[in-house]
Amino acid sequence: MAFSEENLANHLGGLGYSEEQIELMDVATSFCRDKSPIDKVRKLMADERGYDAQVWQEIAELGWLGIAIPEAHGGVGLSMAEVAPIAEQMGRRLLTTPFATCTVAAQALLAAGDEVQCGEWLPRIVAGEIATLALSEPHGDWTLSHVEATAKPNGDGYALSGTKQFVAYAKDAALVIATVNVDGAVRLALIEQSAIPDGALRREIIVDETRRTYELTLDGITIPASALLDAGRSATALGQIELASALLQAAEMCGGTQSAIDYTVEYLKTRKQFGKLIGEYQALKHPITNAYVAYEKARSHMLSAAHNFGQQGVGEIAVRMAKASADKAYSFAADRAVQFHGGFGFTHDCDAGLYRRSAIWHASQFGDAAWHRAKLADLLF
Amino acid sequence: MATRPTAAELADYEAQADAWFRENTPKDPGFMLPLTFMEVSTDQQFEFLCAWQRKVYEAGYLGASWPTEYGGGGMHPDFQRIATKVMKKYDGPIMLNAIGIGWAGPLILDIGSEEEKKKYIKGMLSAEDIWCQGFSEPENGSDLGNAQLKAVRDGDEYVLNGSKIWTSLGDRAKYMILLARTSNEGPNKYAGLSFFLAPMHAPGIETRRIKKLTGEYGFVQCFFTDARIPAECLMGKEGDGWQIAMKTLEYERGAKVNLAGGYFLKELDAMGVVELARQSQRGGKALLDDPVMKDRMIDFMIDIQALNLNNQRRRMGPLVQDRPMGLALMNKLARTEMIRELTEFSLSFQGTRGGYYVDDPCAVDNGYWHRSYLNSFSATIGGGTSEIQRNIVAEHVLGLPKGR
Ligand SMILES: Cc1cc2nc3c(=O)[nH]c(=O)nc-3n(C[C@H](O)[C@H](O)[C@H](O)COP(=O)(O)OP(=O)(O)OC[C@H]3O[C@@H](n4cnc5c(N)ncnc54)[C@H](O)[C@@H]3O)c2cc1C
């Protein structure tokens, strides 16, 4: 029995790529490999800032922070499709920087910012100043419009109140874009670094030790009225934030899955027990093959999500499928990676743990596989 | 190779093909038609499908891109692709002679001698000469390299002794692609194997039908008792057998595509499963209101779409740089396992009606889903089991060691 996907494919997107995408993929492949060998990753895990400022500068100089920003704002004028292959290579080498959060923050500005807001911030982001997003709250809900933090009129501006969590690289950020509730409507608010009082940021202890996030207490912060993004485009911006984040995550996760598999395969080819290579045992060989099959499926979805990103309807389906399948693939591959290294797998020194923690992290942000499947059911049934 | 056609030429051709298939695609014959070439059970089915294949061939919509000197149409492959697409559009019956035009034909065109091409290609396209495949043996299935059927050279003939089993269309075939042992010497078990294009109607060859899981027939056991075949049936040289068999399997598993056109397996429509689910009830409510069922269904749709995308990506060099053969080699495993799981899932929608079987008047879609699920094993076992496929991917794509 064969199977026809054509009928389904008519509802969903197909695959394609641009020259620029492939060029960036090639450059990113060697850049990330060279800049982020695993001992460097481990060194940065213990570093307070958590990333290499020099490498960050190089990323900015390569123009990668402006890929999906129009030329009028100092960017390259391509799209998220061209950002994805870079994120994939970063995920593969566990090269964690504010890259993703800056990229998505720029998308939020493009979605709901006015000329002045975009004109001020986008060129600064392109140049390497860090912009980050403050979305999550203590309730832990993935629904971005579930916002309890508030902005209340106060003189010429607004006084903020509430708590934001998992604000990536907030300590170094020139700009924090926070969701706040203004008179019952969710709005995006620009908070400049200078407005954040001492003590408002607490470094969080997170499962993925290669990243840095902070809890941000909004109480005591005031912003001018001009710092609110357009109310009418809030929902669009939230949608854009969610999908852009999920796309970049799916890409990073595909890269991570690939590494988790490569790393484990290497061990299966060298470790011997009972007089033979453990890779000869099908109890290991077949599950790692299943992980590989899942990885290739997830990668096809991710490339489709990149290709179709921004297409009405089809784009959202593709992105959600990409995140759902990347979560499934990464979680399984990294879980088996731990198990297949035996006692060594249980050590902090074994890289399997880095991938496992990274997969948990990604599942925890912007929705896990089950959550995206539920969203897909609403879109498809 | 023929020159690449223009869009206008293709559009013309498509219009012609469309008219032909609209006119000629047979209506429901009043008996159950096989969904795959491995399910041809009755004479009625066999004759119907032979006639259909011949008709398509004679109209020029099969073998359209194969060389004219051997009976093909000599056209650019794009024309054949269009003809096949149109055939699918009108949901035409399958092409029966799969082992002929699907794997023996491409093999002969690829490495066969001029005589072999002249002798065999036309007859397989017209379905005059049905082909079968004699690889598996009772004692050697997955371990194909250990095949033991003996072929001993005696003057101008080879003398065959042994047995082949699970031979699809074995009772209908005129020719068999046969893997046999011509020697027990050599550095390993593979070295003594040879490949034959063997006639099935030779004295000393008998076949016995085997009833399948579905209750139908379709494959046989073949017994060779001092059967004599002409020595020129040997393809290549003695000892080339393994290499040629592996080439054949590439066609069979779809890693290599040079098909004559048409299709050998009816396709299950992904949306058909969704439709079935929509029509099913749980607790007086639509099945798809159940979040658990909904979640599983979406999971399948993600999987189906992944295979669809994999198929597109396979042909996009820059998107398969790290492991160029990965998608091709995992294709059979991924597809057949997904279909098995999905058709199994489809039975669970049916509630009590899942108890009916094919041909009961109350069976949902006349038992189509049960038949599809049970038949799904033909693909997870036939052509190399899923376990063997995993070994292949592990060893050839991931570079893991071969088990000892
Ligand atoms: C519908 C159908 C049509 C077929 N048509 C043809 C045909 O036309 N011509 C032909 O030659 N053959 C045909 N076959 C035979 C098919 O190729 C074999 O059945 C298949 O290769 C398995 O061999 P076996 O049946 O001997 O099973 P075995 O090899 O005995 O396998 C039994 C079980 O052990 C597992 N196993 C075996 N070896 C390993 C290993 N190394 N690692 C892990 N697991 C292992 C298998 O996966 C399977 O689950 C057909 C089969 C079916 C089901």
Side-chain angles (χ1 to χ4, degrees):
Chain A
M1 174 80 45
F3 201 88
S4 165
E5 309 92 347
E6 271 164 41
N7 211 337
L8 183 67
N10 292 340
H11 300 253
L12 309 177
L15 209 53
Y17 57 88
S18 66
E19 298 273 320
E20 291 87 351
Q21 219 181 356
I22 303 304
E23 271 165 37
L24 283 164
M25 188 186 291
D26 292 342
V27 176
T29 301
S30 40
F31 181 86
C32 297
R33 182 193 57 220
D34 297 346
K35 302 295 172 184
S36 189
I38 204 72
D39 53 337
K40 173 98 174 276
V41 172
R42 288 186 176 276
K43 217 170 97 201
L44 287 169
M45 278 160 61
D47 178 75
E48 181 60 27
R49 184 166 50 205
Y51 62 95
D52 179 339
Q54 175 63 35
V55 170
W56 180 245
Q57 199 48 47
E58 289 175 45
I59 287 173
E61 281 160 15
L62 282 164
W64 289 356
L65 296 168
I67 290 173
I69 295 175
E71 284 168 289
H73 292 301
V76 182
L78 295 169
S79 68
M80 288 299 292
E82 284 79 20
V83 185
I86 299 178
E88 182 184 22
Q89 293 305 319
M90 290 178 166
R92 180 179 181 186
R93 303 298 172 186
L94 301 176
L95 173 55
T96 46
T97 67
F99 179 75
T101 196
C102 285
T103 301
V104 178
Q107 293 301 305
L109 279 164
L110 284 166
D114 60 26
E115 270 309 305
V116 177
Q117 290 158 338
C118 288
E120 168 166 13
W121 284 106
L122 292 176
R124 291 172 67 177
I125 292 173
V126 173
E129 284 194 57
I130 293 167
T132 188
L133 295 155
L135 308 165
S136 303
E137 297 192 353
H139 53 62
D141 191 344
W142 283 313
T143 304
L144 293 183
S145 58
H146 182 173
V147 176
E148 287 168 12
T150 56
K152 297 216 166 78
N154 176 315
D156 290 345
Y158 289 86
L160 308 187
S161 165
T163 303
K164 292 291 178 179
Q165 296 177 333
F166 303 112
V167 186
Y169 303 95
K171 199 123 209 157
D172 301 329
L175 176 68
V176 175
I177 305 178
T179 45
V180 288
N181 213 307
V182 184
D183 280 341
V186 176
R187 303 275 299 267
L188 289 159
L190 305 180
I191 307 169
E192 297 197 31
Q193 189 171 40
S194 55
I196 300 175
D198 284 347
L201 290 173
R202 172 184 73 81
R203 185 179 150 186
E204 293 165 320
I205 300 168
I206 58 174
V207 61
D208 181 345
E209 295 173 284
T210 71
R211 294 170 193 278
R212 295 293 173 270
T213 69
Y214 298 82
E215 185 179 72
L216 169 61
T217 306
L218 295 174
D219 300 84
I221 298 178
T222 56
I223 56 167
S226 62
L228 284 177
L229 301 193
D230 185 3
R233 288 184 289 158
S234 268
T236 314
L238 289 186
Q240 184 71 3
I241 289 170
E242 185 183 5
L243 295 183
S245 300
L247 170 66
L248 295 184
Q249 283 189 305
E252 281 190 49
M253 294 164 92
C254 282
T257 310
Q258 180 182 8
S259 284
I261 292 168
D262 288 347
Y263 183 72
T264 307
V265 162
E266 209 36 53
Y267 197 62
L268 265 50
K269 287 200 274 200
T270 45
R271 170 80 176 169
K272 281 188 171 178
Q273 283 296 289
F274 299 97
K276 55 182 181 180
L277 293 170
I278 57 173
E280 290 183 42
Y281 294 107
Q282 290 179 349
L284 281 67
K285 191 179 196 173
H286 287 186
I288 202 70
T289 301
N290 291 342
Y292 169 70
V293 170
Y295 155 72
E296 290 287 14
K297 289 181 191 169
R299 184 159 195 261
S300 287
H301 273 301
M302 182 276 286
L303 292 166
S304 157
H307 180 64
N308 292 298
F309 194 84
Q311 301 267 11
Q312 188 62 34
V314 172
E316 178 173 354
I317 293 173
V319 169
R320 294 195 188 282
M321 285 195 170
K323 177 83 196 275
S325 58
D327 182 15
K328 211 167 150 180
Y330 201 6
S331 299
F332 180 70
D335 174 282
R336 292 297 81 193
V338 171
Q339 178 71 17
F340 293 174
H341 282 82
F344 175 52
F346 194 63
T347 66
H348 198 258
D349 274 349
C350 179
D351 295 345
L354 302 182
Y355 301 117
R356 190 66 197 94
R357 284 163 168 263
S358 159
I360 295 171
W361 166 257
H362 281 298
S364 75
Q365 305 297 306
F366 299 99
D368 66 1
W371 194 76
H372 285 283
R373 285 199 300 266
K375 293 278 173 193
L376 283 163
D378 294 342
L379 292 167
L380 290 169
F381 295 148
Chain B
M1 160 111 47
T3 49
R4 182 162 218 120
T6 64
E9 286 170 319
L10 287 175
D12 268 2
Y13 184 81
E14 180 157 0
Q16 267 176 43
D18 198 277
W20 191 88
F21 279 102
R22 186 175 343 115
E23 172 79 23
N24 290 288
T25 301
K27 312 278 169 295
D28 178 6
F31 54 87
M32 195 165 78
L33 275 178
L35 299 173
T36 78
F37 70 96
M38 293 171 284
E39 287 167 51
V40 181
S41 194
T42 66
D43 291 349
Q44 203 178 27
Q45 293 174 327
F46 178 70
E47 277 149 27
F48 181 92
L49 289 176
C50 280
W52 168 238
Q53 184 179 323
R54 185 169 324 120
K55 191 165 180 175
V56 174
Y57 168 63
E58 282 168 359
Y61 298 120
L62 188 68
S65 66
W66 282 12
T68 39
E69 55 270 43
Y70 313 125
M75 297 164 87
H76 190 275
D78 284 356
F79 289 109
Q80 182 63 62
R81 267 193 279 279
I82 287 196
T84 302
K85 190 181 88 181
V86 176
M87 196 185 311
K88 214 176 261 181
K89 172 177 161 194
Y90 287 101
D91 201 19
I94 56 161
M95 292 294 109
L96 165 84
N97 202 10
I99 294 165
I101 60 179
W103 21 120
L107 179 74
I108 291 170
L109 287 175
D110 190 1
I111 63 164
S113 67
E114 192 57 28
E115 293 76 51
E116 286 165 344
K117 292 177 192 171
K118 287 225 165 76
K119 180 168 177 191
Y120 297 121
I121 298 296
K122 180 153 193 245
M124 61 178 62
L125 285 168
S126 67
E128 231 159 297
D129 303 340
I130 302 301
W131 285 68
C132 69
Q133 180 180 37
F135 283 15
S136 308
E137 299 180 356
E139 297 304 322
N140 302 289
S142 297
D143 189 6
L144 185 57
N146 202 38
Q148 294 300 331
L149 185 135
K150 291 258 169 322
V152 178
R153 178 82 185 235
D154 181 25
D156 288 345
E157 295 180 319
Y158 278 93
V159 184
L160 308 179
N161 275 291
S163 177
K164 292 290 174 180
I165 196 166
W166 324 125
T167 319
S168 302
L169 293 166
D171 48 343
R172 314 274 180 184
K174 182 163 168 191
Y175 296 110
M176 169 185 267
I177 45 175
L178 170 68
L179 188 65
R181 185 160 294 280
T182 43
S183 159
N184 282 313
E185 322 277 276
N188 54 42
K189 62 188 179 186
Y190 308 110
L193 292 172
S194 299
F195 200 92
F196 295 88
L197 305 173
M200 286 297 282
H201 303 310
I205 303 179
E206 276 172 60
T207 61
R208 194 172 64 212
R209 302 212 295 170
I210 303 170
K211 198 169 184 177
K212 297 183 303 183
L213 175 63
T214 55
E216 298 161 33
Y217 292 92
F219 53 25
V220 303
Q221 182 167 6
C222 302
F223 301 90
F224 297 77
T225 317
D226 289 331
R228 289 179 170 267
I229 60 170
E232 65 254 28
C233 293
L234 176 70
M235 193 179 208
K237 301 188 305 298
E238 279 192 17
D240 288 351
W242 181 250
Q243 213 187 323
I244 300 178
M246 287 304 100
K247 224 179 196 7
T248 315
L249 288 182
E250 281 177 35
Y251 292 112
E252 181 169 353
R253 291 171 187 160
K256 216 169 165 171
V257 179
N258 176 23
L259 300 184
Y263 41 83
F264 313 130
L265 313 153
K266 270 285 174 123
E267 298 189 326
L268 192 75
D269 175 7
M271 297 314 277
V273 184
V274 177
E275 262 323 296
L276 178 67
R278 272 193 217 290
Q279 293 159 14
S280 306
Q281 300 250 314
R282 274 291 179 288
K285 284 192 297 217
L287 179 94
L288 280 182
D289 286 349
D290 177 333
V292 175
M293 282 296 190
K294 207 151 68 171
D295 185 62
R296 283 199 63 195
M297 185 60 103
I298 287 292
D299 214 14
F300 275 116
M301 294 180 79
I302 294 173
D303 224 27
I304 294 163
Q305 170 69 350
L307 297 185
N308 172 33
L309 294 168
N310 277 357
N311 254 346
Q312 297 177 37
R313 181 153 73 92
R314 243 168 101 170
R315 282 171 247 135
M316 298 177 174
L319 302 187
V320 291
Q321 289 180 61
D322 287 319
R323 294 189 162 108
M325 283 308 289
L327 293 181
L329 289 179
M330 65 177 251
N331 186 41
K332 178 186 189 275
L333 172 68
R335 293 178 76 83
T336 61
E337 286 295 322
M338 185 273 284
I339 292 166
R340 182 181 58 73
E341 287 171 22
L342 179 59
T343 49
E344 182 196 24
F345 182 45
S346 75
L347 302 190
S348 72
F349 301 168
Q350 301 176 16
T352 58
R353 297 185 300 166
Y356 287 121
Y357 193 61
V358 180
D359 280 346
D360 187 278
C362 298
V364 176
D365 296 332
N366 192 28
Y368 174 82
W369 304 102
H370 289 69
R371 194 178 164 204
S372 297
Y373 169 57
L374 294 183
N375 270 319
S376 72
F377 288 98
S378 66
T380 57
I381 297 170
T385 66
S386 294
E387 291 70 31
I388 296 300
Q389 300 304 314
R390 284 193 192 96
N391 286 345
I392 290 173
V393 175
E395 289 157 22
H396 296 273
V397 181
L398 299 179
L400 286 168
K402 246 176 130 59
R404 281 169 295 164

